[in-house]
mmCIF file of all heavy atoms in Angstrom:
data_model
loop_
_atom_site.group_PDB
_atom_site.id
_atom_site.type_symbol
_atom_site.label_atom_id
_atom_site.label_comp_id
_atom_site.label_asym_id
_atom_site.label_seq_id
_atom_site.Cartn_x
_atom_site.Cartn_y
_atom_site.Cartn_z
ATOM 1 N N MET P 30 40.477 16.722 43.737
ATOM 2 C CA MET P 30 39.503 17.803 43.554
ATOM 3 C C MET P 30 38.399 17.619 44.589
ATOM 4 O O MET P 30 37.781 16.551 44.660
ATOM 5 C CB MET P 30 38.900 17.762 42.143
ATOM 6 C CG MET P 30 39.938 17.956 41.047
ATOM 7 S SD MET P 30 39.283 17.692 39.394
ATOM 8 C CE MET P 30 38.046 18.948 39.300
ATOM 9 N N ARG P 31 38.181 18.641 45.409
ATOM 10 C CA ARG P 31 37.112 18.638 46.412
ATOM 11 C C ARG P 31 37.152 17.383 47.281
ATOM 12 O O ARG P 31 36.149 16.707 47.489
ATOM 13 C CB ARG P 31 35.757 18.778 45.743
ATOM 14 C CG ARG P 31 35.605 20.110 45.043
ATOM 15 C CD ARG P 31 34.179 20.292 44.572
ATOM 16 N NE ARG P 31 34.106 21.531 43.827
ATOM 17 C CZ ARG P 31 33.590 21.648 42.633
ATOM 18 N NH1 ARG P 31 33.076 20.608 42.031
ATOM 19 N NH2 ARG P 31 33.554 22.799 42.056
ATOM 20 N N GLY P 32 38.365 17.046 47.693
ATOM 21 C CA GLY P 32 38.511 15.945 48.621
ATOM 22 C C GLY P 32 38.467 14.558 48.011
ATOM 23 O O GLY P 32 38.480 13.565 48.725
ATOM 24 N N ARG P 33 38.404 14.459 46.716
ATOM 25 C CA ARG P 33 38.423 13.124 46.110
ATOM 26 C C ARG P 33 39.414 13.089 44.950
ATOM 27 O O ARG P 33 39.734 14.100 44.348
ATOM 28 C CB ARG P 33 37.025 12.679 45.672
ATOM 29 C CG ARG P 33 36.403 13.538 44.653
ATOM 30 C CD ARG P 33 34.976 13.095 44.347
ATOM 31 N NE ARG P 33 34.644 13.722 43.080
ATOM 32 C CZ ARG P 33 34.126 13.108 42.062
ATOM 33 N NH1 ARG P 33 33.818 11.850 42.135
ATOM 34 N NH2 ARG P 33 33.882 13.738 40.955
ATOM 35 N N GLN P 34 39.845 11.908 44.637
ATOM 36 C CA GLN P 34 40.841 11.695 43.589
ATOM 37 C C GLN P 34 40.183 11.721 42.209
ATOM 38 O O GLN P 34 39.103 11.158 42.027
ATOM 39 C CB GLN P 34 41.478 10.330 43.809
ATOM 40 C CG GLN P 34 42.941 10.325 43.636
ATOM 41 C CD GLN P 34 43.529 8.980 44.005
ATOM 42 O OE1 GLN P 34 42.846 7.993 44.192
ATOM 43 N NE2 GLN P 34 44.842 8.969 44.116
ATOM 44 N N ALA P 35 40.851 12.388 41.243
ATOM 45 C CA ALA P 35 40.347 12.412 39.866
ATOM 46 C C ALA P 35 41.473 11.991 38.930
ATOM 47 O O ALA P 35 42.618 12.393 39.107
ATOM 48 C CB ALA P 35 39.848 13.807 39.499
ATOM 49 N N VAL P 36 41.147 11.189 37.943
ATOM 50 C CA VAL P 36 42.114 10.759 36.946
ATOM 51 C C VAL P 36 42.061 11.746 35.790
ATOM 52 O O VAL P 36 40.982 12.106 35.319
ATOM 53 C CB VAL P 36 41.809 9.324 36.462
ATOM 54 C CG1 VAL P 36 42.773 8.915 35.362
ATOM 55 C CG2 VAL P 36 41.854 8.351 37.624
ATOM 56 N N GLU P 37 43.243 12.173 35.295
ATOM 57 C CA GLU P 37 43.307 13.109 34.175
ATOM 58 C C GLU P 37 43.783 12.387 32.921
ATOM 59 O O GLU P 37 44.620 11.491 32.987
ATOM 60 C CB GLU P 37 44.271 14.267 34.482
ATOM 61 C CG GLU P 37 43.785 15.172 35.561
ATOM 62 C CD GLU P 37 44.718 16.348 35.782
ATOM 63 O OE1 GLU P 37 45.939 16.209 35.558
ATOM 64 O OE2 GLU P 37 44.222 17.399 36.171
ATOM 65 N N TYR P 38 43.234 12.824 31.803
ATOM 66 C CA TYR P 38 43.598 12.276 30.500
ATOM 67 C C TYR P 38 43.995 13.412 29.573
ATOM 68 O O TYR P 38 43.453 14.512 29.654
ATOM 69 C CB TYR P 38 42.417 11.513 29.876
ATOM 70 C CG TYR P 38 42.081 10.238 30.591
ATOM 71 C CD1 TYR P 38 41.147 10.229 31.629
ATOM 72 C CD2 TYR P 38 42.702 9.050 30.242
ATOM 73 C CE1 TYR P 38 40.849 9.054 32.298
ATOM 74 C CE2 TYR P 38 42.404 7.873 30.901
ATOM 75 C CZ TYR P 38 41.475 7.890 31.930
ATOM 76 O OH TYR P 38 41.185 6.727 32.585
ATOM 77 N N MET P 39 44.949 13.111 28.693
ATOM 78 C CA MET P 39 45.319 14.032 27.620
ATOM 79 C C MET P 39 44.720 13.456 26.337
ATOM 80 O O MET P 39 44.867 12.274 26.044
ATOM 81 C CB MET P 39 46.851 14.124 27.480
ATOM 82 C CG MET P 39 47.293 15.012 26.338
ATOM 83 S SD MET P 39 49.092 15.302 26.253
ATOM 84 C CE MET P 39 49.791 13.705 26.506
ATOM 85 N N TYR P 40 44.043 14.327 25.570
ATOM 86 C CA TYR P 40 43.366 13.900 24.351
ATOM 87 C C TYR P 40 44.019 14.537 23.131
ATOM 88 O O TYR P 40 44.409 15.704 23.169
ATOM 89 C CB TYR P 40 41.881 14.301 24.390
ATOM 90 C CG TYR P 40 41.114 13.619 25.487
ATOM 91 C CD1 TYR P 40 40.993 14.208 26.748
ATOM 92 C CD2 TYR P 40 40.533 12.379 25.269
ATOM 93 C CE1 TYR P 40 40.295 13.578 27.764
ATOM 94 C CE2 TYR P 40 39.824 11.738 26.282
ATOM 95 C CZ TYR P 40 39.725 12.345 27.525
ATOM 96 O OH TYR P 40 39.039 11.713 28.520
ATOM 97 N N ALA P 41 44.145 13.772 22.062
ATOM 98 C CA ALA P 41 44.632 14.322 20.796
ATOM 99 C C ALA P 41 43.556 15.256 20.260
ATOM 100 O O ALA P 41 42.382 14.889 20.180
ATOM 101 C CB ALA P 41 44.919 13.204 19.808
ATOM 102 N N ASN P 42 43.950 16.456 19.896
ATOM 103 C CA ASN P 42 43.018 17.454 19.392
ATOM 104 C C ASN P 42 43.172 17.599 17.879
ATOM 105 O O ASN P 42 43.088 18.689 17.332
ATOM 106 C CB ASN P 42 43.267 18.787 20.102
ATOM 107 C CG ASN P 42 42.136 19.760 19.935
ATOM 108 O OD1 ASN P 42 41.019 19.372 19.625
ATOM 109 N ND2 ASN P 42 42.426 21.037 20.139
ATOM 110 N N TYR P 43 43.442 16.495 17.212
ATOM 111 C CA TYR P 43 43.632 16.453 15.768
ATOM 112 C C TYR P 43 43.355 15.034 15.302
ATOM 113 O O TYR P 43 43.239 14.111 16.112
ATOM 114 C CB TYR P 43 45.058 16.887 15.385
ATOM 115 C CG TYR P 43 46.129 16.039 16.029
ATOM 116 C CD1 TYR P 43 46.634 14.909 15.379
ATOM 117 C CD2 TYR P 43 46.618 16.330 17.305
ATOM 118 C CE1 TYR P 43 47.602 14.104 15.973
ATOM 119 C CE2 TYR P 43 47.580 15.533 17.904
ATOM 120 C CZ TYR P 43 48.069 14.432 17.236
ATOM 121 O OH TYR P 43 49.015 13.639 17.826
ATOM 122 N N ASP P 44 43.293 14.870 14.013
ATOM 123 C CA ASP P 44 43.036 13.549 13.427
ATOM 124 C C ASP P 44 44.377 12.811 13.302
ATOM 125 O O ASP P 44 45.229 13.169 12.477
ATOM 126 C CB ASP P 44 42.374 13.718 12.058
ATOM 127 C CG ASP P 44 42.002 12.408 11.396
ATOM 128 O OD1 ASP P 44 42.475 11.338 11.835
ATOM 129 O OD2 ASP P 44 41.239 12.456 10.414
ATOM 130 N N ILE P 45 44.576 11.786 14.124
ATOM 131 C CA ILE P 45 45.838 11.032 14.136
ATOM 132 C C ILE P 45 46.076 10.362 12.787
ATOM 133 O O ILE P 45 47.209 10.317 12.296
ATOM 134 C CB ILE P 45 45.843 10.010 15.291
ATOM 135 C CG1 ILE P 45 45.838 10.762 16.626
ATOM 136 C CG2 ILE P 45 47.057 9.091 15.200
ATOM 137 C CD1 ILE P 45 45.640 9.877 17.851
ATOM 138 N N GLU P 46 45.034 9.869 12.163
ATOM 139 C CA GLU P 46 45.174 9.225 10.852
ATOM 140 C C GLU P 46 45.645 10.225 9.796
ATOM 141 O O GLU P 46 46.451 9.884 8.929
ATOM 142 C CB GLU P 46 43.860 8.557 10.426
ATOM 143 C CG GLU P 46 43.504 7.338 11.250
ATOM 144 C CD GLU P 46 44.600 6.273 11.251
ATOM 145 O OE1 GLU P 46 45.144 5.956 10.167
ATOM 146 O OE2 GLU P 46 44.927 5.765 12.343
ATOM 147 N N GLU P 47 45.180 11.456 9.883
ATOM 148 C CA GLU P 47 45.641 12.493 8.951
ATOM 149 C C GLU P 47 47.126 12.784 9.176
ATOM 150 O O GLU P 47 47.890 12.954 8.222
ATOM 151 C CB GLU P 47 44.825 13.770 9.124
ATOM 152 C CG GLU P 47 45.170 14.839 8.112
ATOM 153 C CD GLU P 47 44.295 16.078 8.237
ATOM 154 O OE1 GLU P 47 43.490 16.177 9.170
ATOM 155 O OE2 GLU P 47 44.447 16.956 7.359
ATOM 156 N N ALA P 48 47.560 12.807 10.439
ATOM 157 C CA ALA P 48 48.986 13.010 10.747
ATOM 158 C C ALA P 48 49.817 11.867 10.171
ATOM 159 O O ALA P 48 50.913 12.096 9.645
ATOM 160 C CB ALA P 48 49.188 13.129 12.254
ATOM 161 N N LYS P 49 49.278 10.637 10.227
ATOM 162 C CA LYS P 49 49.994 9.486 9.652
ATOM 163 C C LYS P 49 50.119 9.629 8.139
ATOM 164 O O LYS P 49 51.178 9.360 7.571
ATOM 165 C CB LYS P 49 49.262 8.181 9.995
ATOM 166 C CG LYS P 49 49.383 7.770 11.439
ATOM 167 C CD LYS P 49 48.588 6.494 11.715
ATOM 168 C CE LYS P 49 48.653 6.104 13.173
ATOM 169 N NZ LYS P 49 47.847 4.905 13.462
ATOM 170 N N ARG P 50 49.052 10.061 7.487
ATOM 171 C CA ARG P 50 49.088 10.242 6.021
ATOM 172 C C ARG P 50 50.061 11.358 5.643
ATOM 173 O O ARG P 50 50.841 11.223 4.696
ATOM 174 C CB ARG P 50 47.689 10.548 5.481
ATOM 175 C CG ARG P 50 46.742 9.355 5.479
ATOM 176 C CD ARG P 50 45.436 9.659 4.748
ATOM 177 N NE ARG P 50 44.687 10.751 5.358
ATOM 178 C CZ ARG P 50 43.803 10.610 6.357
ATOM 179 N NH1 ARG P 50 43.567 9.426 6.880
ATOM 180 N NH2 ARG P 50 43.180 11.670 6.835
ATOM 181 N N ASP P 51 50.026 12.462 6.382
ATOM 182 C CA ASP P 51 50.936 13.581 6.100
ATOM 183 C C ASP P 51 52.391 13.177 6.326
ATOM 184 O O ASP P 51 53.284 13.570 5.569
ATOM 185 C CB ASP P 51 50.576 14.795 6.953
ATOM 186 C CG ASP P 51 49.280 15.464 6.512
ATOM 187 O OD1 ASP P 51 48.798 15.173 5.392
ATOM 188 O OD2 ASP P 51 48.737 16.269 7.294
ATOM 189 N N TYR P 52 52.638 12.388 7.362
ATOM 190 C CA TYR P 52 53.987 11.885 7.633
ATOM 191 C C TYR P 52 54.495 11.090 6.434
ATOM 192 O O TYR P 52 55.621 11.282 5.973
ATOM 193 C CB TYR P 52 53.986 11.019 8.897
ATOM 194 C CG TYR P 52 55.317 10.365 9.171
ATOM 195 C CD1 TYR P 52 56.274 11.011 9.935
ATOM 196 C CD2 TYR P 52 55.622 9.098 8.668
ATOM 197 C CE1 TYR P 52 57.511 10.420 10.192
ATOM 198 C CE2 TYR P 52 56.845 8.502 8.921
ATOM 199 C CZ TYR P 52 57.778 9.167 9.680
ATOM 200 O OH TYR P 52 58.997 8.575 9.921
ATOM 201 N N GLN P 53 53.662 10.207 5.914
ATOM 202 C CA GLN P 53 54.056 9.380 4.775
ATOM 203 C C GLN P 53 54.292 10.229 3.526
ATOM 204 O O GLN P 53 55.249 10.002 2.784
ATOM 205 C CB GLN P 53 53.008 8.295 4.486
ATOM 206 C CG GLN P 53 53.465 7.297 3.451
ATOM 207 C CD GLN P 53 54.768 6.607 3.828
ATOM 208 O OE1 GLN P 53 54.887 6.045 4.906
ATOM 209 N NE2 GLN P 53 55.765 6.667 2.958
ATOM 210 N N ALA P 54 53.437 11.221 3.306
ATOM 211 C CA ALA P 54 53.590 12.099 2.142
ATOM 212 C C ALA P 54 54.899 12.883 2.228
ATOM 213 O O ALA P 54 55.623 13.021 1.227
ATOM 214 C CB ALA P 54 52.401 13.058 2.039
ATOM 215 N N ILE P 55 55.239 13.358 3.406
ATOM 216 C CA ILE P 55 56.495 14.100 3.580
ATOM 217 C C ILE P 55 57.683 13.167 3.414
ATOM 218 O O ILE P 55 58.690 13.527 2.798
ATOM 219 C CB ILE P 55 56.506 14.845 4.922
ATOM 220 C CG1 ILE P 55 55.583 16.053 4.802
ATOM 221 C CG2 ILE P 55 57.904 15.246 5.341
ATOM 222 C CD1 ILE P 55 55.446 16.882 6.032
ATOM 223 N N SER P 56 57.585 11.960 3.938
ATOM 224 C CA SER P 56 58.654 10.973 3.742
ATOM 225 C C SER P 56 58.876 10.718 2.259
ATOM 226 O O SER P 56 60.026 10.635 1.798
ATOM 227 C CB SER P 56 58.302 9.656 4.433
ATOM 228 O OG SER P 56 58.346 9.798 5.819
ATOM 229 N N ASP P 57 57.803 10.606 1.501
ATOM 230 C CA ASP P 57 57.901 10.399 0.061
ATOM 231 C C ASP P 57 58.570 11.587 -0.631
ATOM 232 O O ASP P 57 59.396 11.402 -1.525
ATOM 233 C CB ASP P 57 56.523 10.139 -0.550
ATOM 234 C CG ASP P 57 55.911 8.814 -0.094
ATOM 235 O OD1 ASP P 57 56.649 7.956 0.446
ATOM 236 O OD2 ASP P 57 54.680 8.643 -0.266
ATOM 237 N N GLN P 58 58.225 12.809 -0.208
ATOM 238 C CA GLN P 58 58.847 14.018 -0.782
ATOM 239 C C GLN P 58 60.348 14.038 -0.498
ATOM 240 O O GLN P 58 61.155 14.354 -1.377
ATOM 241 C CB GLN P 58 58.216 15.288 -0.205
ATOM 242 C CG GLN P 58 56.876 15.644 -0.759
ATOM 243 C CD GLN P 58 56.369 16.938 -0.131
ATOM 244 O OE1 GLN P 58 56.683 17.266 1.017
ATOM 245 N NE2 GLN P 58 55.583 17.672 -0.887
ATOM 246 N N ILE P 59 60.713 13.727 0.728
ATOM 247 C CA ILE P 59 62.132 13.703 1.102
ATOM 248 C C ILE P 59 62.874 12.676 0.254
ATOM 249 O O ILE P 59 63.967 12.954 -0.258
ATOM 250 C CB ILE P 59 62.297 13.407 2.612
ATOM 251 C CG1 ILE P 59 61.793 14.590 3.439
ATOM 252 C CG2 ILE P 59 63.752 13.084 2.950
ATOM 253 C CD1 ILE P 59 61.677 14.306 4.929
ATOM 254 N N ASN P 60 62.289 11.502 0.096
ATOM 255 C CA ASN P 60 62.920 10.463 -0.723
ATOM 256 C C ASN P 60 63.078 10.910 -2.169
ATOM 257 O O ASN P 60 64.118 10.654 -2.792
ATOM 258 C CB ASN P 60 62.118 9.161 -0.656
ATOM 259 C CG ASN P 60 62.240 8.488 0.694
ATOM 260 O OD1 ASN P 60 63.182 8.715 1.443
ATOM 261 N ND2 ASN P 60 61.258 7.662 1.022
ATOM 262 N N GLN P 61 62.079 11.567 -2.718
ATOM 263 C CA GLN P 61 62.140 12.051 -4.100
ATOM 264 C C GLN P 61 63.275 13.071 -4.260
ATOM 265 O O GLN P 61 64.054 13.006 -5.211
ATOM 266 C CB GLN P 61 60.801 12.679 -4.487
ATOM 267 C CG GLN P 61 60.755 13.198 -5.900
ATOM 268 C CD GLN P 61 59.431 13.906 -6.205
ATOM 269 O OE1 GLN P 61 58.696 14.322 -5.320
ATOM 270 N NE2 GLN P 61 59.151 14.053 -7.488
ATOM 271 N N ILE P 62 63.380 13.989 -3.322
ATOM 272 C CA ILE P 62 64.453 14.991 -3.373
ATOM 273 C C ILE P 62 65.808 14.307 -3.223
ATOM 274 O O ILE P 62 66.757 14.614 -3.951
ATOM 275 C CB ILE P 62 64.250 16.078 -2.291
ATOM 276 C CG1 ILE P 62 63.006 16.908 -2.606
ATOM 277 C CG2 ILE P 62 65.479 16.970 -2.197
ATOM 278 C CD1 ILE P 62 62.598 17.854 -1.475
ATOM 279 N N GLN P 63 65.913 13.366 -2.277
ATOM 280 C CA GLN P 63 67.189 12.684 -2.041
ATOM 281 C C GLN P 63 67.649 11.918 -3.272
ATOM 282 O O GLN P 63 68.829 11.933 -3.619
ATOM 283 C CB GLN P 63 67.083 11.746 -0.837
ATOM 284 C CG GLN P 63 68.414 11.174 -0.414
ATOM 285 C CD GLN P 63 69.399 12.242 0.010
ATOM 286 O OE1 GLN P 63 69.146 12.974 0.956
ATOM 287 N NE2 GLN P 63 70.518 12.353 -0.695
#
């Protein structure tokens, strides 16, 4: 950018811990159904 190097980052736009909790809850639901 403008003749100099810039480092780019990708940021999570959500709560990763909430995704972990939801993953576990869905795993539990699948197990219950199975």
Side-chain angles (χ1 to χ4, degrees):
M30 298 172 62
R31 296 188 184 129
R33 61 184 197 131
Q34 223 174 12
V36 177
E37 292 183 330
Y38 291 91
M39 177 173 45
Y40 296 91
N42 196 20
Y43 58 92
D44 183 346
I45 294 172
E46 290 304 314
E47 185 177 6
K49 288 178 182 178
R50 287 188 299 273
D51 289 345
Y52 175 89
Q53 188 57 54
I55 285 179
S56 290
D57 293 344
Q58 283 181 330
I59 291 170
N60 289 338
Q61 181 184 19
I62 293 171
Q63 189 61 61

